[in-house]
Amino acid sequence: MAQDQTATFERHIHEQQLSQRSQAGGELTWLLSGIVLACKIIGEQVRRLGLTNQTGSAGSTNVHGEEQQSLDIYSNQVLLECLGSRGNVGILASEENEDPIVVFDNRDDGEYVVVFDPLDGSSNIDVNVSVGTIFSIYRRPESNGGSTHSEVLQPGTQQLAAGYCLYGSSTVMVYTTGDGVNGFTLDPTIGTFLLSHPNMKMPARGNIYSVNESYADSFPPYCRRYLHWLKSAEDDSLYRSRYIGSLVADFHRTLLKGGVFLYPPTSFYPEGKLRLMYEASPIAMLAEQAGGIATTGEESVLSIVPKNLHQRVPLFVGSPFEMQRLQTFIQNPLKV
Ligand code: P6P
């Protein structure tokens, strides 16, 4: 099928804004185009990593005590610059920065809050494994006299848009503004994201489960029993295991193929490892917009009001069949 080179990401956003008759007008479109620009720049560096001086550790640690890769810092700077210069972003909050960054004090100028993980999975970058940028966009609340943090700490249900850019065998941008999920593949010959995955829907059931089984002994009992069910052939639905260790890549496969991705509580991460605001919430919005389900095992991810910017949560996300089966193990931990 000859690719329609006019089916660009920018055109799609514009048409969605028109169809949603959202008050945002072109503002959200302009903001999202800033994310597209940043991801193109980051993607170019990812593609050339072995040829640049961006490989390896930056010799520093981030707010989580995790070793920062040089490309983490570079990617963060690119997003701060591309979004900070859009003129309509009030606050930027990044996995790489301890506190949110106020771009405009005056709310009339910066009506949006953007939360992002500039390069998720970057510990894999030196071995050429797919990594990604994850973003989430909120409206900046009216002045409530509270702190900047209070303006950022909104539940996932308040997201205006969410998405990721996966730097994999191809560079794919997947996003939602609450009206379905669409995917775009970067055509490097023209430097443009073109519509390649219209109206993405997660299969009702899959045959892949994705979890780091090295921690299985410390998973909660319901989770160990669920894992046993996944691994025991039942009504011919033998599940295969796939785990990349890069959330964007593991979720993208789950979105396309169905099944389940899980990062349960462990002894090392009793609250779960993944961060609510810039990993779990945007992924949960995408999953639910595509017909999937996303929970912490106890509650819907999107309903959680964050306590702090870097709050961690467990994440179970996948097809309705596998997620409803998980629920039976949670509700009857000793019976199934
Ligand atoms: P583990 C990457 O560091 C990340 O935050 C996610 O992208 C990924 O899903 C998870 O951690 C992998 O964690 O403990 O399996 O290495």
Side-chain angles (χ1 to χ4, degrees), residues 183-211:
F184 300 78
T185 298
L186 182 65
D187 179 340
T189 64
I190 57 174
T192 302
F193 282 101
L194 299 177
L195 183 63
S196 53
H197 299 74
N199 193 28
M200 298 175 83
K201 291 297 178 193
M202 191 182 290
R205 177 175 187 174
N207 64 357
I208 298 171
Y209 72 92
S210 185
V211 63

Side-chain angles (χ1 to χ4, degrees), residues 120-121 123 212 215 243 245-247 261 263 273-275 279:
D120 186 74
S123 54
N212 187 333
Y215 309 135
Y243 191 72
S246 188
L247 174 63
F261 169 87
Y263 205 111
K273 176 184 183 185
L274 301 177
R275 273 56 62 102
E279 290 177 305

Side-chain angles (χ1 to χ4, degrees), residues 8-9 12-13 16 20 135 162-164 172-185 194-201 252 255 286 289-290:
T8 65
F9 185 74
H12 193 272
I13 308 167
Q16 275 220 331
Q20 288 174 342
F135 62 89
Y164 57 79
V172 177
M173 178 78 76
V174 175
Y175 92 114
T176 181
T177 57
D179 188 21
V181 178
N182 289 277
F184 300 78
T185 298
L194 299 177
L195 183 63
S196 53
H197 299 74
N199 193 28
M200 298 175 83
K201 291 297 178 193
H252 190 67
L255 176 59
L286 289 161
Q289 280 290 316

Side-chain angles (χ1 to χ4, degrees), residues 220-236:
Y222 73 83
C223 193
R224 293 205 297 273
R225 288 184 181 82
Y226 179 59
L227 205 48
H228 178 72
W229 168 73
L230 287 165
K231 295 163 81 168
S232 55
E234 183 184 75
D235 57 50
D236 308 325

